[in-house]
Amino acid sequence: MKDKTSCQRQDDADRLRGLRDQFQLNDGEIYLDGNSLGVLPRATAARVQQTVAQEWGQGLIRSWNDAGWIDLPQRLGDKIARLVGAARGELVVADSTSVNLYKVMSAALGLVAADAPGRTRPGRTRILSERSNFPTDLYIAEGLARQHGMTLELLEPDEIPDQLDDRVAVLMLTHVNYRTGRMHDMAALTRAAHDVGALAVWDLAHSAGAVPVDLNGAGADFAVGCGYKYLNGGPGAPAFVWAHARHADRMHQPLSGWMGHAAPFQFTPDYQPAPGIDRYLCGTPALLSMTALECGIDSVLAAEPLGGMQALREKSIALTGLFIELVEERCAGHGLTLVSPRDPALRGSQVCFAREEGAYAIVQALIERGVIGDFRAPDVLRFGFTPLYTRYADVWEAVERLHQVLAEGLWREARFQRLAAVT
Amino acid sequence: MKDKTSCQRQDDADRLRGLRDQFQLNDGEIYLDGNSLGVLPRATAARVQQTVAQEWGQGLIRSWNDAGWIDLPQRLGDKIARLVGAARGELVVADSTSVNLYKVMSAALGLVAADAPGRTRPGRTRILSERSNFPTDLYIAEGLARQHGMTLELLEPDEIPDQLDDRVAVLMLTHVNYRTGRMHDMAALTRAAHDVGALAVWDLAHSAGAVPVDLNGAGADFAVGCGYKYLNGGPGAPAFVWAHARHADRMHQPLSGWMGHAAPFQFTPDYQPAPGIDRYLCGTPALLSMTALECGIDSVLAAEPLGGMQALREKSIALTGLFIELVEERCAGHGLTLVSPRDPALRGSQVCFAREEGAYAIVQALIERGVIGDFRAPDVLRFGFTPLYTRYADVWEAVERLHQVLAEGLWREARFQRLAAVT
């Protein structure tokens, strides 16, 4: 049985423990919400200040060249590529996850319509996704389905394989579910989609920087992802978008902005998409947010000499496993039910428990006591574990405070606040 | 005839001269490129640092409520509304100009299709715009025209009134042309469009913060605009989007992200658009860029007690008029031809000259001598005049250096650099 000392010993033996020094963390606070908004890397403040005061303030318009602003979408893209099994030049940073999803879903539907004799669009009218996928993904897909005269069908995870047939155009899934932390088998589901002639689109919002991803290894078709969660890019950091090289030059997307043009500075009146993934750029990127994102990505890449995503994954499994074990042991009898998969192979880097009564108030009471998790309607307590900065002793302490809140009924007094948490 | 002393006297008498103190400007440099990237307000660095270090670093996820992040799109929108003749609650900050143009053009085409008995879409197959409109506007419109089975027709400004007929769905124009500085009569062209049952969509990229705009007064249908030019919001600052209140609740846009949902934090699986303009939000906004933008907008609003946009406009006309006068007088015989309208009523806040030979090299030579303008293909020297910080003496000095570059042929030695200037 674990105790606090054994957790501290685990920290002492942790080869990744030095990575924590990269971040500015509040004293005494245990932050288990890096799956919603990653923490601030120490390097970021100075870097953003440099961009504001020198690059913008002094360099002004010259910084598009001199400070390399114009290359940021690709430079950051190449860095993220290393975390998700993509090759150089295949991934760019642009816009938001929602906007990028619109691009790739549009492209995927266009490819399906254009492709495969005997499999023309009239026969492919189904878009499949998961019922508890993150809402924005469903909203974007719903709109495109209507526009294309197709139907969006929402399934439970286990129903997906049986529902794949030759009327499916696109299977669109979030790799790790935002609510349950359940992780899909990307390779197997992509293969199953391809077997029926459908395309596979993946949202990596809760995967990039959290679990190893191998987009090319899985043969996925398109992917999008988020910069402000496990990539520590800062609030509303720009998102990313990837397409498999086999689709290059055929993957039309409708947000045909000038940054995605083959020659953006020639100002020609007609649109000629850039080769490859660059055509997924649209307008001028939000530069200050981009430079902050680079520091965040670098904070994850700092793990590369220590084993990279594989080493982070091992620690993540150990942290989430420890949390489950401790909660079930120390908070037994307090009505918490594990929502996330018990099998670590099916679990992302978060753990969720449901509780019939008071889930929201319990999260508030924990926050008042310095344990930052979040609540997801209707009854879920959600805790994200970022191996870059979370210690085993933090897990112990978080469960200690959770137990106190439950055992002493402290949540009945928690202040209620308007809730505006972001995915 | 003007001389340097008379220009300095004009500065001394300028009621707006104190506004210049708001900005961090390079010593000895004359920045005539605020129409591409506005300068850095002094307030911005501290504000961004506050957002990074305190709001993000310490407040973390709580700042969505505690620091008011969640309300920024509307709060900034209401401020911009004061500059463009819109009402509170009608305008939000979101995404990029290109992405917003896609939203409003989609909405406009949807309204036209749904509207007006006897005027159904099969009869309305024309989208009109200006041949030398900024390319991204044309690219976005071109894609949507193709998608809707319509044609995008590009006209010279003077041809527009005659081309408006009952086959036109949308007239989409940039109010002030990025290349020539020519300004359309928004009220007259909107009325002419409405007279034939078409809708009018306006891009205010070179207008917001530069010239008085009265969207409601003109009865315009939709508008978008840019945060990083005359609004001084910083490189790639988020853009804005407006719709007339008469379209509220009928103006569907396809980028149905969760931030535009009627209840974004209820995480319901189906999309229910927010009332009014809030449905034009899509994904999570780039917060660091948003806070910088607020400082930029405030730097323009600081003119309100001194007469606001009307006072800025008067100074802008005086500055651009002075520049034209001095160039034509002092650089006569050096092959420069005025591209911008001579009539100030038709001119935005910029002045362009064409030169058959060496336009690009001349701009480079000027930049080397501390006068920052820009080049627009194939032969245009472009100079923007921001009355918030440009002095009459700066205009004198800029023409002095231009004359020197031309008279001494200095441009023949100018360093050539890769050009990546942003609109």
Side-chain angles (χ1 to χ4, degrees), chain B residues 111-383:
Chain B
L111 284 172
V112 168
D115 264 2
R119 285 171 173 174
T120 50
R121 191 165 56 172
R124 292 201 179 264
T125 56
R126 306 176 71 200
I127 299 173
L128 302 189
S129 194
E130 187 181 346
R131 182 161 295 119
S132 73
N133 198 346
F134 187 62
T136 213
D137 298 57
L138 301 183
Y139 304 159
I140 294 286
E142 179 188 334
L144 283 168
R146 197 180 316 112
Q147 183 188 311
H148 288 260
M150 304 170 85
T151 54
L152 171 66
E153 297 176 44
L154 304 184
L155 309 169
E156 296 304 320
D158 297 337
E159 297 172 335
I160 294 170
D162 283 348
Q163 285 293 324
L164 282 165
D165 62 26
D166 63 6
R167 292 172 302 131
V168 176
V170 174
L171 171 65
M172 185 271 285
L173 292 170
T174 299
H175 181 224
V176 175
N177 186 283
Y178 83 104
R179 227 176 64 91
T180 64
R182 175 168 169 160
M183 182 164 63
H184 290 290
D185 184 335
M186 183 185 289
L189 283 171
T190 297
R191 203 162 41 239
H194 289 177
D195 283 347
V196 298
L199 297 177
V201 173
W202 292 94
D203 180 346
L204 305 179
H206 291 265
S207 306
V211 297
V213 174
D214 188 1
L215 287 170
N216 276 319
D221 294 287
F222 296 95
V224 299
C226 173
Y228 55 78
K229 297 175 181 294
Y230 294 94
L231 295 182
N232 304 316
F240 65 88
V241 56
W242 170 87
H244 195 282
R246 68 177 167 270
H247 300 311
D249 306 325
R250 292 183 60 236
M251 46 192 199
H252 173 74
Q253 66 92 0
L255 292 167
S256 44
W258 72 304
M259 283 283 180
H261 193 278
F265 296 105
Q266 286 183 9
F267 298 110
T268 59
D270 44 81
Y271 181 66
Q272 184 65 42
I277 196 69
D278 286 355
R279 71 181 58 184
Y280 283 69
L281 303 177
C282 181
T284 309
L287 253 295
L288 306 188
S289 291
M290 290 277 275
T291 55
L293 173 57
E294 184 160 30
C295 296
I297 301 167
D298 287 345
S299 76
V300 184
L301 291 176
E304 281 188 341
L306 301 165
M309 284 310 305
Q310 203 50 55
L312 290 171
R313 174 64 174 159
E314 283 163 25
K315 182 174 173 189
S316 159
I317 289 176
L319 290 168
T320 53
L322 175 65
F323 185 73
I324 293 171
E325 179 189 333
L326 290 176
V327 169
E328 294 193 333
E329 187 181 288
R330 312 204 60 225
C331 303
H334 286 294
L336 295 176
T337 313
L338 182 65
V339 172
S340 303
R342 195 172 296 276
D343 177 357
L346 300 179
R347 196 167 68 218
S349 203
Q350 71 181 65
V351 176
C352 299
F353 284 94
R355 191 176 194 275
E356 228 170 81
E357 192 196 3
Y360 175 61
I362 293 166
V363 168
Q364 288 299 315
L366 277 172
I367 291 173
E368 287 170 22
R369 284 155 187 83
V371 177
I372 319 294
D374 59 25
F375 165 79
R376 283 297 172 267
D379 59 0
V380 169
L381 298 86
R382 187 176 79 155
F383 303 95

Side-chain angles (χ1 to χ4, degrees), chain A residues 49 65 102 139 265 268 421, chain B residues 49 65 102 139 265 268 418 421:
Chain A
Q49 205 55 17
N65 291 324
Y102 185 82
Y139 304 158
F265 297 104
T268 59
Chain B
Q49 205 55 19
N65 291 323
Y102 185 83
Y139 304 159
F265 296 105
T268 59
R418 184 171 66 100

Side-chain angles (χ1 to χ4, degrees), chain A residues 6 82 143 153 183 194 199 204 227 253 264 314 331 360 406:
Chain A
S6 74
R82 286 150 61 183
E153 298 176 44
M183 181 164 62
H194 290 176
L199 297 177
L204 305 180
Q253 66 92 2
E314 283 163 25
C331 304
Y360 175 60
L406 291 167

Side-chain angles (χ1 to χ4, degrees), chain A residues 49 132 138 148 151 166 193 200 218 244 278 299 329 348 357 370 374 377 395:
Chain A
Q49 205 55 17
S132 73
L138 301 183
H148 288 260
T151 55
D166 63 6
H244 195 282
D278 286 355
S299 77
E329 186 181 287
E357 192 196 3
D374 59 26
V395 174

